[in-house]
Amino acid sequence: MPTVKAVDMAKEAGIDPKRFRQALRDERFSWHAHNERWIVKAGSDEHKAMQSVLHKISS
């Protein structure tokens, strides 16, 4: 299954990647360890959670 990076999601949406990663950190997802890269499997629950955060900050 392909992977998705937060930086690529942000760039596609026209959002600053640093802003997106901060918003993701603010969510404190239990599945993401501190200082790990924001890379998830496409279509996974984690990907959907990241899409939700991206939608929140782009609205």
Side-chain angles (χ1 to χ4, degrees):
M1 185 174 275
T3 58
V4 179
K5 298 177 183 177
V7 66
D8 295 334
M9 291 175 66
K11 287 179 181 178
E12 286 179 23
I15 299 292
D16 177 36
K18 288 182 181 182
R19 180 176 172 222
F20 182 40
R21 288 191 306 268
Q22 182 61 55
L24 290 169
R25 286 190 297 273
D26 290 346
E27 291 290 328
R28 299 179 189 265
F29 291 117
S30 61
W31 49 264
H32 188 267
H34 182 69
N35 286 334
E36 271 193 21
R37 294 177 187 246
W38 289 96
I39 302 173
V40 296
K41 291 182 180 177
S44 66
D45 288 340
E46 292 85 356
H47 183 205
K48 291 174 186 169
M50 289 171 65
Q51 288 174 319
S52 177
V53 173
L54 186 61
H55 179 73
K56 275 196 262 185
I57 65 171
S58 63
S59 297

